């Protein structure tokens, strides 16, 4: 067993042989100008700032032999997996499926749906395309984790309060011990990130734990 003594709200104990890193939606559509995040009116620069820390965490996980699983929020080109409630929500400057500077917004196979090059999946790593905010919904993620024998999950990615938190809650309900890397996750709204970190670890880690990339990498030996 390994222990991240400085994790919050208390030490996080995990078996590295039964732990995977899940990197949520570090895609051009959320991180770069001209994508879905920007079309919703957001400044994407805070999300770009976590790329180096996320790369470091991925490197430490790979070096320690942890499976690294990447997710991408995206839809089929015919939008058959995008419910009208999602497609028509709000008044973005570009809707899902519309042509944008990086191809059709949030569509599988388009440039915008790709993971940013600095965090590109290594050969053999699992990439889960997901139509929802949570990575367990309508995806093979449960089966992938069961096949790996995973019991603990380390999370990174964007956005903290939407896809990261939703997936962490899904995982917690499925019995996984979940830890979020504080400086390898980001929101377009600083207050939402801060609130999410608090609510995850409140009430005795009701959803899970948080720790910094340094703290995680030190225990993984990176
Ligand atoms: C959002 C995500 N924020 N990956 N997606 O729509 O968090």
């Amino acid at each position: 067993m390994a222990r991240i003594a400085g994790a919050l709200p208390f030490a996080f104990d995990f078996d590295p042989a039964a732990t995977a890193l899940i990197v949520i939606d570090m895609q051009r559509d959320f991180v770069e100008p001209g994508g879905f995040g920007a079309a919703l009116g957001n400044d994407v620069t805070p999300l770009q700032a976590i790329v180096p820390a996320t790369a470091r965490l991925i490197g430490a996980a790979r070096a320690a032999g942890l499976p690294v699983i990447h997710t991408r929020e995206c839809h089929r080109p015919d939008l058959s997996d995008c419910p009208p409630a999602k497609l028509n929500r709000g008044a973005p400057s570009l809707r899902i499926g519309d042509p944008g500077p990086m191809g059709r917004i949030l569509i599988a196979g388009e440039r915008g749906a790709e993971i940013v090059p600095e965090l590109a999946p290594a050969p053999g790593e699992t990439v889960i395309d997901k139509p929802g905010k949570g990575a367990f919904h309508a995806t093979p993620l449960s089966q992938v984790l069961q096949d790996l024998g995973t019991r603990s999950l380390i999370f990174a990615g964007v956005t903290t309060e939407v896809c990261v938190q939703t997936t962490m809650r899904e995982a917690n309900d499925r019995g996984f011990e979940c830890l979020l890397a504080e400086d390898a996750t980001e929101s377009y709204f600083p207050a939402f990130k801060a609130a999410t970190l608090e609510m995850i670890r409140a009430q005795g880690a009701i959803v899970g734990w948080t720790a910094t990339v340094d703290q995680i990498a030190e225990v993984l030996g990176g």
Side-chain angles (χ1 to χ4, degrees):
M1 290 293 281
R3 164 167 286 202
I4 301 174
L8 294 173
F10 48 82
F12 180 70
D13 292 321
F14 66 107
D15 175 1
T19 301
L21 171 65
I22 301 196
V23 184
I24 302 281
D25 300 357
M26 288 300 290
Q27 299 161 251
R28 292 194 144 113
D29 264 326
F30 294 108
V31 175
E32 295 184 3
F36 186 57
L40 292 170
N42 299 303
D43 172 13
V44 297
T45 48
L47 276 59
Q48 290 168 353
I50 65 157
V51 169
T54 308
R56 181 154 177 256
L57 180 62
I58 291 172
R62 284 177 183 150
L66 269 58
V68 179
I69 297 168
H70 307 258
T71 71
R72 302 185 294 203
E73 182 179 347
C74 58
H75 295 274
R76 297 187 194 122
D78 66 1
L79 296 178
S80 57
D81 60 352
C82 185
K86 181 175 183 183
L87 186 63
N88 299 325
R89 186 79 50 85
S93 60
L94 291 170
R95 287 194 189 278
I96 296 168
D98 284 350
M102 295 185 289
R104 293 179 67 203
I105 297 284
L106 280 198
I107 298 296
E110 300 285 339
R111 195 162 166 272
E114 289 170 4
I115 292 168
V116 296
E118 301 91 323
L119 308 178
E125 288 179 351
T126 300
V127 179
I128 301 276
D129 283 350
K130 61 186 187 58
K133 304 305 180 190
F136 287 86
H137 167 67
T139 76
L141 182 57
S142 279
Q143 191 63 54
V144 168
L145 295 174
Q146 191 179 316
D147 292 348
L148 288 167
T150 305
R151 291 194 302 276
S152 300
L153 294 168
I154 299 173
F155 282 90
V158 297
T159 61
T160 315
E161 78 281 12
V162 185
C163 291
V164 175
Q165 177 174 214
T166 302
T167 305
M168 222 171 146
R169 287 176 181 273
E170 288 179 322
N172 188 47
D173 282 349
R174 284 164 174 77
F176 294 95
E177 306 271 28
C178 299
L179 172 90
L180 175 57
E182 294 165 20
D183 45 342
T185 184
E186 194 49 90
S187 169
Y188 301 118
F189 306 93
F192 289 178
K193 174 179 175 176
T196 302
L197 296 181
E198 294 259 334
M199 69 177 79
I200 282 169
R201 59 197 180 210
Q203 303 177 79
I206 197 155
V207 177
W209 285 254
T210 73
T212 64
V213 169
D214 277 351
Q215 289 171 321
I216 300 166
E218 187 185 347
V219 170
L220 292 178

